Amino acid sequence: MEGESRKRMKHGIDENGQEVIDGAALVIVEKEETETNIVGSEEMELNIAHIFEKIEHFTQIVSELLESGKAMFKELSNEFEERLISIHKEQMEKWQEEIKELRLLDASNEEASGILHNARYVLQNPHIDS
């Protein structure tokens, strides 16, 4: 209904019983309504402008939160990735050390087994001179 004005007409009845519309009353009523609409429109526009300001402010806050959240998640993601890589590296080093120790133990066991085998052979064959 913006831009439209309702027309209220003052009606009356003449001496013959015919309905009469007062033109002057029509102009006055239209003018009063138009002024009310203008005042109402200005007030409404102010209210709408205030709502737009709220929307703008809220949108800005949401935008800032999104950017902040993205930065925080990126930082956390980087820290998580670095920590996970560090844990993996530490575990690989532990297992490599464990493998090294097992190989040393195996070599030591093989040497001991060879010595025991030789000793057994010497004990079983006393006639062999060392």
Side-chain angles (χ1 to χ4, degrees):
M1 294 191 112
E2 195 173 315
E4 291 181 25
S5 64
R6 280 191 333 241
K7 295 181 180 178
R8 277 191 299 191
M9 299 179 201
K10 289 196 176 183
H11 299 276
I13 307 288
D14 69 4
E15 60 256 347
N16 295 331
Q18 296 290 334
E19 186 176 36
V20 176
I21 300 173
D22 184 3
L26 175 62
V27 172
I28 292 170
V29 169
E30 277 185 338
K31 185 177 178 184
E32 287 174 355
E33 283 188 6
T34 303
E35 287 174 358
T36 304
N37 284 341
I38 290 172
V39 171
S41 292
E42 287 176 10
E43 184 179 344
M44 187 181 309
E45 289 301 321
L46 286 173
N47 288 336
I48 290 171
H50 185 65
I51 291 170
F52 280 133
E53 287 174 10
K54 287 179 181 179
I55 290 170
E56 181 69 27
H57 181 69
F58 183 72
T59 301
Q60 184 64 35
I61 289 172
V62 168
S63 179
E64 290 170 2
L65 286 173
L66 283 172
E67 289 303 313
S68 173
K70 283 181 186 178
M72 183 179 65
F73 280 121
K74 184 172 177 104
E75 184 179 329
L76 284 173
S77 175
N78 289 339
E79 289 177 13
F80 176 75
E81 182 179 2
E82 289 171 8
R83 183 63 185 133
L84 204 54
I85 289 170
S86 173
I87 290 170
H88 181 267
K89 182 180 176 183
E90 290 171 8
Q91 188 60 49
M92 291 297 108
E93 289 171 356
K94 285 179 184 178
W95 283 335
Q96 286 175 348
E97 186 62 31
E98 192 176 328
I99 289 169
K100 183 179 173 183
E101 289 174 4
L102 285 172
R103 286 187 174 148
L104 287 173
L105 181 61
D106 186 52
S108 176
N109 285 343
E110 287 296 318
E111 185 181 344
S113 178
I115 292 171
L116 287 174
H117 178 69
N118 287 340
R120 204 175 304 141
Y121 181 76
V122 169
L123 288 175
Q124 290 175 354
N125 299 311
H127 60 285
I128 297 181
D129 213 351
S130 307

